[in-house]
Amino acid sequence: MRLRHAIDRARQPRSPMSGKFPPPGWATETPHAGLGLEVRRGGQLLRRHELRAGQRCFVIGRQPGVADVLVTDDEAVSRQHAAIVPRGDKLYLIDLKSLRGTFVNGARLKPNEPVPLAAGAAISLSDAPPYSLVVVGLPEAPAAPAAAPAAAPVAPVAAAPAATPGAPPASVSPAAPATVAPAVPAPAAAPGL
């Protein structure tokens, strides 16, 4: 009897993922008009997806009716693969536990951890993508101030408060440029300080 039940269950169509990824509580409406993702293969523009101003979350995936950026021609893309989430004037990318991973400028994202995006950032939806999604319409971040001379004293850095799961990194301030870069360890304090 159990075998028959298992066979009947296997024949039933599987329901698609229920519901759309909800915007995180920290998300705000994007103030940027003309924001979009350009689908590029090499230097060739294949198409452009508009990201409407005023929206709190843009899901990238292949699930019709749910994905804001619908990808129908790549089986490596999950139904709800990644999300672009605005906060203030910045955009963050979140991998939604996709099977093949989400990459920004070649660096793989950890699932459910927001990563800031810069203008021109290249998003890949697998480790061997046939194309990339390029962020366009995001204002360029102001240039970072010049670094202090090497002989300048280094002030002690206070420990950051514990991060809320799924929240953008606390170390990203509104004035800091939104880029994906490897973490740089803090310099060790001199003995006796």
Side-chain angles (χ1 to χ4, degrees), residues 59-109:
V59 173
I60 302 168
R62 58 184 176 85
Q63 186 174 7
V66 174
D68 299 296
V69 178
L70 188 61
V71 180
T72 58
D73 54 354
D74 188 355
E75 289 297 316
V77 176
S78 298
R79 291 177 292 201
Q80 294 188 54
H81 194 98
I84 295 176
V85 181
R87 179 178 177 143
D89 63 346
K90 300 204 180 314
L91 293 179
Y92 292 86
L93 182 65
I94 302 172
D95 177 82
L96 301 178
K97 297 183 180 178
S98 63
L99 181 63
R100 299 283 180 100
T102 303
F103 299 77
V104 176
N105 299 331
R108 188 174 186 145
L109 277 61

Side-chain angles (χ1 to χ4, degrees), residues 10-37:
R11 288 183 181 158
Q12 293 175 353
R14 293 181 185 230
S15 63
M17 185 182 295
S18 62
K20 181 177 181 176
F21 171 75
W26 49 265
T28 60
E29 293 181 359
T30 180
H32 305 296
L35 190 61
L37 291 176

Side-chain angles (χ1 to χ4, degrees), residues 37-49 120-124 129-136:
L37 291 176
E38 290 184 348
V39 180
R40 295 186 168 273
R41 180 176 295 136
Q44 182 181 9
L45 174 64
L46 302 176
R47 65 185 166 273
R48 180 183 164 105
H49 295 278
I123 301 168
S124 301
Y131 55 83
S132 63
L133 303 170
V134 179
V135 178
V136 295

